[in-house]
Every structure is written in structure tokens, then in C-alpha cells.
Amino acid sequence: MTRKIDNFAFLDRARGEPDVYPLEVRRSEFREIYKPYSAEEAADQSERCLDCGNPYCEWKCPVHNYIPNWLKLAGEGRIMEAADLCHETNSLPEVCGRICPQDRLCEQACTLATGFGAVTIGAIERYIVDEALKQGWRPDLSHVRTRPWSVGIVGAGPAGLACADVLTRNGVSVTVYDRHPEIGGLLSFGIPDFKLELQVMRRRREILEGCGVHFRLNCEIGRDIQASELESMHDALFFGLGTYTPVEASLPGMEKGGIVPALEYLIGQTCHLYGLDLPGYPFIDLAGEEVLVLGGGDTAMDCVRTAIRQGAASVRCVYRRDQQNMPGSQREVKHAMNEGVQFEFNSLPLGLVHEDRKLVGLDIARTRLVASADGRAQPEVIPGSEQRLPASAIIFAFGYRPSPPAWLEALGVSTAESGLVHTGPQLAGQTGNPAIFAAGDMVRGSDLVVTAIADARETALSIIQFLEMQQAQLKRA
Ligand SMILES: Cc1cc2nc3c(=O)[nH]c(=O)nc-3n(C[C@H](O)[C@H](O)[C@H](O)COP(=O)(O)OP(=O)(O)OC[C@H]3O[C@@H](n4cnc5c(N)ncnc54)[C@H](O)[C@@H]3O)c2cc1C
Ligand code: SF4
């Protein structure tokens, strides 16, 4: 039965995020920290939407979700219809609901954020899709007209999956290649289970396979299949290879050891949790260690919270700016603080300290922020503020640069000096080779799941346009 919407619900109903598991559970387990909403809670929270007539939330959302519309449906308990609508604009809504930084996207733009508490848009998006899938929702492709084209997609991260989703819904035959044993890219292997459990991606794989997407996993292009061979197997190619080269740091003492690379650490932990064997990603156990994590983004937050769960003796995050200027989601910073991570804000690493080749600490200097021409406050060292922090392991989490494979150039795909792939200007995502397209982090630089999805969905439409033009030319010839 559908519920009647109360347009003034926001006046007497406070913003209510889903409950989280108790701290003692969170500090020792890797499962997602949020419990699901009950049907009643989801409807109550959805009803808080003002339907203000000028949905800034939709504009701030990179995929421009029809937020007020699916909130209304969820408020009325019409979950299957809400799930249909969620999927019209987003290929992985259950993922975005979990890990988008809503506090600087949709929820920041919510009219109620100015004093009443934003609608919990992300949590409701997650609820709608989880609940609909539980009740048997599946994409309806009965109206889809099959097209005679085959597209090869390399990379099963959010960019590759979003491209596969849109192409399949438009009748194009799709094969997705990935070097890993499971789909998801960083969603499955980089981002820890306490934010996004691997089973969410396994469930999405079943759905995509049900729609006809063919996955070839454990298959690295350039090693198992040559790129030139792949080109001849498909009418067009899409690359969503991500960015995997760590931003390098150069600190005195680094050569003496004690350093843990962030992504290897996170991927090794996920593989350990699931008994997966990924060559090059050993399990690094920091139980009992004094851990410092350098950096202030999402990767740094995932590392500190992983170290807490592994039972590190102490975990500190060292960041050169203040909390306000951290690049990652403030929600994750808050969770890290609650879980016992200490933060050394305004702290610049100076060098690693070893005794008998064993890491014992990190020298830092305190900073203050000064205005700069590019608009972002720059840290400036405060003279005489040097200090030593104890450490037996230091994780470097300074972000990632592009990692274009050597074979790209031979395909006619050009890259900038930074390594980012050049695309456009005629068709979104089209590279120097007109039949090859790219999107996600390898084009934009390390960013967000939702921006990778947005770019890849647009690129999928470009691929269809390109194939239609090719077909028209063939007919004329
Ligand atoms: C630790 C960490 C935490 C993050 N947390 C968040 C967060 O909370 N919220 C958020 O929005 N974003 C977060 N991000 C960013 C987000 O994960 C990325 O922006 C997003 O995954 C990019 O998607 P993509 O598809 O471009 O690349 P990826 O997710 O990196 O996927 C690329 C895929 O290509 C495959 N591949 C590469 N080369 C080959 C080859 N030669 N042959 C076959 N397969 C290949 C890889 O195996 C991988 O599966 C985080 C990133 C990191 C590193
Ligand atoms: S996709 Fe992300 S930004 Fe858009 S509505 Fe969902 S949680 Fe908000």
C-alpha cells in the first residue's frame, strides 16, 4: 500500500542517518559500518524532501539523478519504481549511495542543508536499490533492439561497468576484460569492505551478466591478449584502466625501510579477507605496530581505518593542512576519529628516523596556512616547530598519477605529458584512434566513482553515435 506524503515532514522530523554498528565491532571487523534502514525509516527520511522545485541536489550530482522523484516514490513505498528511476541515470546507484562524498555533492546542495539537516540522499539511494534487488528487481531489457555491433571494454572498474551498462541497454554486444579475478576495479580491491563490501560488486556482476554482458576476468590486455588483436576482435574499444602510479615522495631515510605503499596495503588486506591470490599484493599485517599514514584523502582514511581493524598499537594521520582543507569526505574523517585514529594536522613530514636500520619515527614540522594565487591555502613551515613522532610503519598515501600502458601509443591513442589520455573534441571520450574511447580516472585523473560513471555513460553514447556513423558510411559506399 502506498503512503501519503507529508510535505512538511522536515519541520518535525530530524535528519537521521542509518545506525552504525557499535565501536567495538567496527574496530575489529571489516564489514560495512552502516546498518540498512528499515522500510519505515527510509520512508520517513525520504518524506523530508521539500520538493523545493529547484533541485540543486540534481545539479550537484555528477550523474544528475532524479533525486526528488525517487525520494517521493521511496516515501510512498514504491521501491521497484524508485529503483527503475535510479538506474535511468546511474549504473551503480547502490555503490554511489554508499561511497559518494555526499557532504560535498548532492547533500551539500540540498535546500534543507541550510539549517534543517540535508535529506539523507545517499543512504536512501542505497536502501532503494538494495531493497529492490532483494525483492527481485532486475533491469527490464524486453524492449531493447539488438544492434549488430560488438564493443570490447578493458577495465571492469566503475568506468568500464557504466559503459557496459549503457551499451547493453542499447542492444550492443559487450565483452569486458579485466586482469583481476572479480569486477569492480578499485571498488572491489582498493576500497575496504567497511565502506563497500565485495558482495555488492559480486551481486552487480550477476545482474550485468543477466543482461548479457560477457566478462573475461584474469585477463590482462598486453599480456594475455595483445591490444592489436583486441582491436581486430571488436567494432570499437573502450578503455577504463584507472590510475595506479603512486605520487612519489622523497624524504630522507626512505631508502632504509619501514615504508608501506597504500594501495598494496589495502589490496593485500582485501585479498587476505577473501582468500584471493593477486600476485604483487601480499598481506601486510600491522597488528601491534605504531602506524603513521601520510596524506589526507580517501586513500589515507581507508589506510588508517584498516590499521585500526588490524589491531595496530597506535594509528595517526599526518596531514600538512587543517581538517577543513582535507580533500576526502569529512564523513570518513569523522568515522576515523571515532574509531580511534589520531590526527596530526598542519604537520609536514621532514624525514624518517631509523635506529639500527629499524624505523623508529618521523620528524615533522608544524605548518600554518597562507593564501596563494591558485586559491588553495598553502602550508608554510613554522620555524622552530620541529618534532618527532614515534613510528614503526609509515604508509604513504599521496594519491595516484596516470599509468598509461606502453601499447596505447601503438594503437594511436595519445596521452598528455602527465600521462592522461587525450579525448574529444568531436565525440566525448573519443581518443586519437576514432574507434577507441576512454573515460574514468585515466582521462580525468584520480577522482570519484560517480564522475567515472558519469563520463563513461556519456562516452558509451558517443560509441553508439560513432558506430551509427560508420554503418551509414558503409551503406553509402
Ligand atoms: C583507496 C581508495 C579509496 C577511494 N575511495 C573513494 C570513495 O570513497 N569514493 C569515491 O567516489 N571514490 C573513491 N576513490 C576513487 C575511485 O575509486 C576511482 O575514482 C574510481 O574507481 C575510478 O574508476 P575507473 O573505472 O576509472 O578505474 P579503476 O576503478 O581503477 O578500474 C580500472 C580497472 O582496469 C583494470 N585494468 C587496468 N589495466 C588493465 C589491463 N591492461 N588489462 C585488463 N584490465 C586492466 C584494473 O584491474 C581495474 O579493474 C578511491 C580510490 C582509492 C585508491
Ligand atoms: S550518485 Fe552520489 S552525488 Fe548523485 S545522488 Fe547519489 S550519492 Fe548523491
Side-chain angles (χ1 to χ4, degrees), residues 53 82 102 156 195 285 360 404:
Q102 288 100 10
K195 277 164 63 181
D285 188 0
V360 293

Side-chain angles (χ1 to χ4, degrees), residues 186-204:
L186 288 172
L187 303 181
S188 294
F189 295 99
I191 295 174
D193 266 38
F194 50 79
K195 277 164 63 181
L196 172 66
E197 286 172 9
L198 184 61
Q199 61 87 9
V200 175
M201 294 318 298
R202 288 184 166 157
R203 184 179 63 184
R204 186 48 72 171

Side-chain angles (χ1 to χ4, degrees), residues 22-38:
L23 264 182
E24 59 275 18
V25 175
R26 280 165 57 185
R27 285 172 54 89
S28 60
E29 287 189 5
F30 280 85
R31 74 165 119 161
E32 282 179 13
I33 69 164
Y34 286 106
K35 296 180 184 173
Y37 272 143
S38 66

